[in-house]
Amino acid sequence: MLIVGVTGGTGSGKSTVCTYFKEKGAKIIDADIVARDIVLKGMPALLEIKEVFGSDVLFSDGSLDRKKLGKIVFASPEKLNILNGITHKYIIEEIKNKVFSSNEKMVVIDAALLFETELFKLCNKTIAVTAPENERERRILKRDSLEAETAKNRIASQKENSFYAEHSDYVIVNDGDLDNLKSKTGEILKELM
Ligand code: ADP
């Protein structure tokens, strides 16, 4: 099994790259989806979040108010670190379970925090997807219907493009249209096969 990690800042185009790998038969593990699953109602990670951030970040039915928590942590690197300290261990454990229960020839892990966690160690190859910051901002404003300030905070809370590029085996500069992104992804896929 070939395990590939795809990383980059928000709005760079990681998930889009992964859809192209999926079309070629790869199994995709999206760390954002795993991150959502591990904080569902009653999960141990959510109980830890409640202890640290208070019940204010929960709705009255006990589920997580993601928007409220997001506003708090994306405006404060310190609080983001605390949240990551709670969630990362659960996310990594769940991703490992998913990788090692797969039968596919290629498994792709889509994770912004590939290098900031131990996830990169699972991977045979890593790919950074980068794009100019103003383009990333424009994309996430549209995709997530955010306020401009929230989009800026999200981008500022992550590493710069160069960090992802320097640590990865391959770099996809996503500064063209979607056809261009698909063909750049196809070139790497050919090399990987
Ligand atoms: P990430 O997973 O890195 O946050 P996505 O793959 O979700 O980024 O891309 C962010 C948004 O930008 C999505 O709505 C996607 O369809 C769009 N997008 C990505 N790359 C391009 C591109 N080259 N041209 C136009 N839209 C793009």
Side-chain angles (χ1 to χ4, degrees):
M1 186 199 295
L2 181 67
I3 305 171
V4 178
V6 174
T7 192
T10 182
S12 60
K14 294 180 297 300
S15 302
T16 311
V17 164
C18 287
T19 62
Y20 302 145
F21 277 107
K22 193 173 180 193
E23 284 172 11
K24 302 292 180 188
K27 176 186 171 109
I28 311 300
I29 300 170
D30 182 335
D32 284 343
I33 294 177
V34 174
R36 253 172 254 162
D37 289 348
I38 58 110
V39 292
L40 289 176
K41 212 166 136 181
M43 300 290 269
L46 186 58
L47 299 178
E48 281 192 46
I49 289 171
K50 185 182 163 192
E51 270 171 30
V52 174
F53 290 92
S55 25
D56 267 9
V57 297
L58 303 190
F59 290 115
S60 52
D61 70 354
S63 63
L64 181 62
D65 186 340
R66 296 173 49 81
K67 219 166 184 181
K68 204 167 197 178
L69 183 61
K71 271 206 170 147
I72 295 170
V73 298
F74 283 117
S76 156
E78 202 181 305
K79 288 183 178 158
L80 182 61
N81 268 340
I82 294 171
L83 179 65
N84 288 342
I86 297 172
T87 56
H88 283 181
K89 54 187 184 287
Y90 295 104
I91 296 170
I92 290 164
E93 191 187 330
E94 183 57 20
I95 288 178
K96 279 184 181 167
N97 287 341
K98 286 182 186 294
V99 167
F100 295 116
S101 63
S102 313
N103 304 314
E104 284 83 354
K105 279 190 187 146
M106 191 189 290
V107 177
V108 180
I109 303 170
D110 175 351
L113 294 173
L114 195 74
F115 293 113
E116 286 136 299
T117 62
E118 61 181 82
L119 282 174
F120 73 96
K121 294 184 191 162
L122 289 176
C123 302
N124 305 108
K125 293 287 174 190
T126 54
I127 303 171
V129 186
T130 67
E133 276 191 16
N134 57 350
E135 188 61 31
R136 288 168 53 201
E137 191 180 321
R138 203 182 58 76
R139 288 178 190 156
I140 64 171
L141 278 174
K142 196 169 154 197
R143 184 191 62 189
D144 302 335
S145 321
L146 300 174
E147 291 162 24
E149 198 194 334
T150 313
K152 278 189 203 304
N153 278 340
R154 272 192 199 181
I155 290 172
S157 74
Q158 294 185 319
K159 301 270 195 235
E160 293 184 358
N161 285 319
S162 57
F163 169 84
Y164 303 102
E166 280 161 17
H167 287 80
S168 298
D169 298 307
Y170 300 94
V171 182
I172 297 176
V173 181
N174 180 17
D175 57 358
D177 60 14
L178 287 169
D179 282 343
N180 182 264
L181 181 61
K182 192 169 192 170
S183 87
K184 285 173 175 167
T185 307
E187 290 299 317
I188 292 175
L189 189 64
K190 256 188 239 163
E191 284 191 42
L192 289 174
M193 299 315 252

